[in-house]
């Protein structure tokens, strides 16, 4: 862990200010300069662009499927079935067939127990030609899949097919999964809900309510698996499993088809830890990425300077270029970063941004800075700070920030080392306030609660009143679990559609295991699964309950990718 350092000498020059020592400081002098990069320099260092390597590698595969569709030689009684159609999603299949009259198709992968079947409707108009993207298969099994046909004239038919899959790969197979509770009638799983285990590295995978793996990607991911409005997913990956740099961001789907690929400079990189090992994996994008309303991507990045994980970049989905930069060093007091101790990797991780959330109500973003034990809201257009919440006393902030500091109500938890700041949708019906959810690691890094630090971690819901500039804790879960579920790094909290909350205690037992718990609003556990982590950095950075796949998703091999 890196702690803030006290300042015992006066730094000279217009970019330096005199500082007072912090109570948890360990060193006697500043360890960083305050020379900042220009926006142009940052854009150059990021070096983002669209490339077509993976799309081009799939051209022959797509052409093969296009030919099968065009020939129309497969009927419902004899469908074409291809397991793992793009080579990176082994628990998926593409099924192609024609019907004698126009119809719509849905399917069900038959589950091994109650409420574990996966059902999806194929999102297309009535047609005589059908391409069915099947997901949710079991590994190493002959799966039974029922195809349901609804003809345009109102009649129906069904066909059962079998789909044989192979064994799980090493790092998925060795992630031993133990279910302690699965009250399926009270879990939020619907017809196709799975729990996605988004690991810090290694293959991401998804499990059903019984803990059985029902999807995984052979692409290693680095922190980032995000679903887009199209139903596609973003995965931050690398050229191959043996590469050390994660600088490929792919837009793919649950079958593994590539729709877009962004590449970033492999020179501008840093480790997520302070480890200076030659074998340490590195990345430019690090903890989070989201899709903006204009279709562009907003990512947490390192800028190539001595600082890391304190810049956001908006990346054009049309060109792959950076079109906007927000450097948090230019928004926050200089002393926050100028006196923070560097890690052994030579980088200053003073902020350690680990989440971004976009608020459509006022075109703003909410962000979390782990190493400042701080969350804040920023106007996205102007970069003006709207509010800040941290355990740092208001009086210790420079005067120009003091009217931005939220005052906690009595009994409201102070955050420490927190992750996963998300905005809840219109909880109280008041457009002038907001409710947020986060995972409070409760680790005092610089401004956390010293009295409770290290004793527990929890998911916490807060209500922010920006007119009164107050923040009030309205719900929490995790404190009663105590130290056994304390995680000083990693974690996530997701509010589900039935008001349950899925909580990922991702670094439990010093990272040896990840404990994922679903609780209702009264705090009663309905799902409790422990995943023994199969390797270093294979722990669950985040765990999402996701639909496999969403209603927005359409698969059509006849529709060519843009710019391919």
């Amino acid at each position: 862990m890196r702690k803030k350092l006290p300042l015992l000498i006066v730094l000279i020059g217009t970019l330096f200010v005199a500082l007072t020592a912090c109570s948890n400081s360990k060193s006697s002098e500043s360890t960083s300069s305050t020379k900042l990069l220009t926006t142009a320099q940052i854009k150059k260092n990021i070096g983002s662009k669209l490339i077509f390597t993976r799309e081009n590698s799939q051209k022959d595969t797509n052409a093969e499927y296009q030919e099968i569709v065009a020939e129309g030689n497969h009927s419902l009684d004899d469908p074409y079935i291809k397991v793992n159609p793009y080579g990176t999603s082994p628990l998926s299949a593409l099924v192609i067939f024609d019907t004698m009259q126009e119809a719509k198709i849905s399917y069900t992968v038959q589950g091994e127990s109650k409420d574990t079947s996966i059902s999806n409707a194929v999102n297309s108009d009535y047609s005589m030609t059908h391409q069915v993207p099947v997901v949710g298969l079991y590994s190493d099994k002959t799966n039974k899949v029922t195809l349901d046909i609804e003809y345009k004239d109102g009649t129906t038919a069904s066909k059962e097919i079998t789909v044989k899959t192979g064994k799980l790969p090493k790092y998925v197979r060795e992630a031993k999964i133990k279910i302690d509770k699965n009250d399926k009638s009270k879990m939020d799983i619907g017809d196709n809900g799975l729990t996605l285990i988004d690991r810090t590295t290694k293959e991401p995978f998804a499990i059903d309510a019984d803990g059985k793996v029902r999807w995984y990607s052979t692409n290693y991911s680095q922190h980032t698996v995000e679903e887009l409005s199209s139903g596609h997913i973003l995965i931050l990956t690398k050229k191959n499993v043996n590469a050390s740099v994660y600088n490929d961001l792919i837009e793919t789907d649950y079958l593994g088809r590539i729709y877009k690929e962004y590449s970033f400079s492999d020179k501008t990189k840093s480790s997520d830890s302070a480890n200076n090992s030659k074998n340490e994996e590195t990345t430019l994008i690090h903890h989070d990425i989201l899709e903006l309303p204009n279709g562009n991507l907003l990512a947490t990045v390192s800028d190539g300077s001595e600082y890391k994980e304190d810049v956001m970049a908006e990346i054009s989905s049309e060109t792959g270029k950076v079109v906007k930069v927000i450097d948090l060093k230019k928004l926050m007091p200089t002393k926050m970063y100028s006196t923070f101790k560097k890690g052994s990797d030579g980088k200053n991780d003073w902020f350690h941004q680990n989440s971004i959330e976009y608020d459509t109500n006022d075109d703003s973003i909410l962000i979390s800075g782990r190493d400042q034990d701080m969350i804040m809201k920023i106007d996205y257009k102007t970069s003006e700070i709207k509010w800040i919440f941290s355990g740092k006393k208001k009086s210790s902030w420079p005067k120009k920030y003091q009217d931005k500091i939220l005052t906690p109500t009595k009994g409201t938890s102070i955050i420490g080392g927190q992750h996963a700041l998300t905005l809840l949708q219109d909880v109280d019906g008041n457009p002038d306030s907001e409710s947020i959810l986060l995972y409070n690691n409760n680790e005092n890094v610089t401004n956390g609660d010293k009295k409770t630090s290290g004793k527990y971690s929890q998911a916490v819901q807060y209500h922010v009143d920006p007119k009164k500039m107050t923040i009030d804790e309205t719900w929490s879960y995790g404190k009663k679990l105590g130290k056994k579920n304390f995680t000083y790094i990693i974690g996530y909290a997701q509010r589900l559609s039935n008001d349950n909350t899925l909580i990922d205690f991702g670094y439990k037992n010093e990272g040896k295991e990840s404990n994922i718990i679903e609780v209702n609003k009264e705090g009663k556990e309905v799902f409790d699964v422990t995943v023994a982590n199969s390797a270093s950095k294979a722990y669950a950075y985040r765990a999402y309950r996701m639909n496999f796949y969403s209603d927005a998703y359409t698969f059509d091999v006849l529709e060519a990718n843009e710019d391919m």
Side-chain angles (χ1 to χ4, degrees):
M1 294 303 298
R2 294 162 297 285
K3 302 263 185 174
K4 187 186 263 188
L5 306 174
L7 184 66
L8 300 180
I9 62 174
V10 177
L11 302 177
I12 300 173
T14 58
L15 295 176
F16 297 85
V17 294
L19 305 175
T20 55
C22 295
S23 60
N24 61 345
S25 300
K26 286 187 175 181
S27 177
S28 61
E29 60 183 352
S30 170
T31 56
S32 294
S33 69
T34 54
K35 184 178 181 180
L36 306 184
L37 300 183
T38 65
T39 296
Q41 289 173 319
I42 294 172
K43 287 182 176 181
K44 182 179 179 180
N45 287 348
I46 293 171
S48 62
K49 59 184 178 181
L50 288 176
I51 61 175
F52 305 96
T53 307
R54 296 175 198 250
E55 290 179 62
N56 289 337
S57 71
Q58 292 183 351
K59 276 186 176 180
D60 290 345
T61 300
N62 282 323
E64 178 185 347
Y65 301 146
Q66 289 165 359
E67 184 176 354
I68 291 169
V69 171
E71 288 176 345
N73 291 334
H74 293 272
S75 67
L76 179 59
D77 290 329
D78 181 30
Y80 172 85
I81 303 171
K82 178 65 175 179
V83 180
N84 193 11
Y86 290 94
T88 59
S89 182
L91 301 185
S92 70
L94 177 60
V95 181
I96 300 173
F97 61 93
D98 285 359
T99 51
M100 297 297 291
Q101 55 179 302
E102 291 186 334
K104 285 187 175 182
I105 311 298
S106 59
Y107 71 85
T108 298
V109 179
Q110 296 178 21
E112 293 180 346
S113 69
K114 183 180 179 182
D115 295 325
T116 58
S117 293
I118 299 296
S119 297
N120 277 307
V122 177
N123 188 5
S124 63
D125 295 328
Y126 285 103
S127 176
M128 296 172 66
T129 301
H130 308 285
Q131 306 169 52
V132 183
V134 175
V135 297
L137 301 170
Y138 291 93
S139 65
D140 198 19
K141 179 179 178 178
T142 299
N143 291 260
K144 294 181 179 179
V145 180
T146 302
L147 301 172
D148 292 306
I149 296 86
E150 177 191 331
Y151 292 108
K152 198 170 185 179
D153 65 5
T155 59
T156 61
S158 65
K159 169 71 175 179
E160 184 177 286
I161 61 174
T162 58
V163 183
K164 181 70 174 69
T165 55
K167 294 181 179 180
L168 297 172
K170 173 183 172 64
Y171 290 121
V172 179
R173 184 175 66 252
E174 293 184 356
K176 303 303 181 185
I177 299 166
K178 179 186 176 186
I179 297 288
D180 289 317
K181 184 182 289 291
N182 61 344
D183 189 342
K184 299 173 188 176
S185 65
K186 295 179 181 177
M187 293 173 62
D188 188 1
I189 48 179
D191 292 330
N192 60 358
L194 299 176
T195 302
L196 177 71
I197 312 299
D198 176 10
R199 301 199 279 184
T200 298
T201 59
K202 306 296 186 280
E203 304 96 331
F205 64 91
I207 59 174
D208 63 18
D210 287 341
K212 296 294 183 70
V213 176
R214 306 291 294 275
W215 178 88
Y216 69 93
S217 173
T218 60
N219 288 304
Y220 281 27
S221 68
Q222 207 279 348
H223 282 161
T224 302
V225 179
E226 297 287 341
E227 189 171 60
L228 300 173
S229 58
S230 61
H232 298 164
I233 52 176
L234 289 173
I235 297 180
L236 180 63
T237 188
K238 49 188 178 178
K239 301 295 184 186
N240 58 69
V241 296
N242 296 316
S244 62
V245 182
Y246 285 86
N247 63 350
D248 279 18
L249 180 67
I250 58 174
E251 179 182 336
T252 183
D253 62 16
Y254 295 108
L255 268 62
R257 182 179 180 182
I258 299 296
Y259 297 88
K260 197 168 289 187
E261 182 177 7
Y262 304 82
S263 180
F264 302 86
S265 170
D266 59 2
K267 297 179 181 179
T268 304
K269 58 190 179 183
S270 61
S271 167
D272 183 43
S273 69
N275 194 339
N276 203 26
S277 167
K278 291 182 179 180
N279 297 323
E280 188 76 7
E281 292 180 326
T282 59
T283 184
L284 186 149
I285 295 177
H286 47 91
H287 283 84
D288 207 0
I289 191 165
L290 59 79
E291 180 183 23
L292 292 166
N294 63 5
N296 288 350
L297 306 178
L298 182 62
T300 58
V301 301
S302 294
D303 63 7
S305 71
E306 64 185 285
Y307 305 96
K308 69 177 184 179
E309 302 190 0
D310 60 1
V311 170
M312 287 169 280
E314 181 180 341
I315 302 160
S316 168
S317 60
E318 297 295 326
T319 67
K321 300 294 185 182
V322 174
V323 296
K324 180 181 176 70
V325 169
I326 298 177
D327 185 346
L328 292 170
K329 295 183 291 295
K330 296 176 182 178
L331 300 186
M332 304 309 294
T334 305
K335 65 180 181 181
M336 279 190 172
Y337 57 86
S338 65
T339 60
F340 202 90
K341 184 180 179 181
K342 290 181 180 179
S344 62
D345 63 351
K347 295 288 187 177
N348 183 325
D349 193 13
W350 69 279
F351 195 79
H352 195 96
Q353 184 182 354
N354 55 29
S355 69
I356 328 172
E357 181 82 341
Y358 183 82
D359 187 351
T360 57
N361 292 318
D362 58 1
D363 188 26
S364 63
I365 52 174
L366 296 92
I367 67 174
S368 165
R370 177 191 181 274
D371 284 0
Q372 291 298 324
D373 304 320
M374 181 175 73
I375 60 174
M376 59 192 298
K377 189 172 189 181
I378 303 170
D379 184 291
Y380 187 64
K381 184 177 182 180
T382 65
S383 295
E384 179 185 354
I385 297 170
K386 290 180 174 258
W387 54 253
I388 296 171
F389 176 49
S390 80
K392 183 179 172 66
K393 291 182 179 180
K394 182 183 291 189
S395 59
S396 67
W397 286 84
K399 285 186 178 180
K400 73 174 185 176
Y401 294 90
Q402 290 183 10
D403 64 347
K404 308 295 185 184
I405 309 303
L406 297 177
T407 300
T409 60
K410 185 177 180 180
T412 293
S413 299
I414 300 301
I415 53 179
Q418 74 293 327
H419 287 72
L421 174 61
T422 57
L423 181 67
L424 301 179
Q425 297 300 315
D426 199 21
V427 172
D428 63 355
N430 181 0
D432 295 323
S433 67
E434 51 221 4
S435 289
I436 56 178
L437 181 71
L438 58 78
Y439 180 83
N440 183 17
N441 296 75
N442 197 26
E443 164 76 4
N444 174 33
V445 185
T446 53
N447 300 297
D449 189 333
K450 294 180 183 178
K451 293 181 180 179
T452 64
S453 178
K455 294 182 179 179
Y456 60 86
S457 299
Q458 62 178 355
V460 190
Q461 180 177 329
Y462 295 100
H463 179 263
V464 176
D465 188 328
K467 288 187 175 180
K468 296 180 180 179
M469 292 300 289
T470 58
I471 183 166
D472 179 45
E473 181 178 327
T474 57
W475 181 90
S476 66
Y477 181 84
K479 186 174 183 178
K480 73 175 186 179
L481 301 178
K483 197 162 185 174
K484 73 181 180 69
N485 271 58
F486 168 72
T487 61
Y488 79 92
I489 59 173
I490 308 300
Y492 196 70
Q494 177 191 14
R495 182 59 45 81
L496 304 176
S497 62
N498 67 351
D499 284 334
N500 286 358
T501 304
L502 189 72
I503 309 166
D504 169 35
F505 299 89
Y507 201 77
K508 185 178 176 180
N509 193 16
E510 292 294 318
K512 294 181 178 66
E513 59 189 20
S514 299
N515 185 201
I516 301 155
I517 299 174
E518 180 180 348
V519 298
N520 63 20
K521 55 187 176 182
E522 287 78 32
K524 182 179 179 181
E525 295 181 7
V526 299
F527 181 60
D528 187 339
V529 59
T530 297
V531 179
N533 294 321
S534 57
S536 174
K537 290 195 174 183
Y539 31 76
Y541 169 65
R542 290 178 174 178
Y544 302 99
R545 183 66 48 73
M546 295 175 65
N547 294 331
F548 277 71
Y549 34 80
S550 76
D551 292 340
Y553 171 62
T554 300
F555 179 87
D556 186 356
V557 75
L558 300 178
E559 192 173 289
N561 296 348
E562 295 181 7
D563 301 318
M564 190 169 175

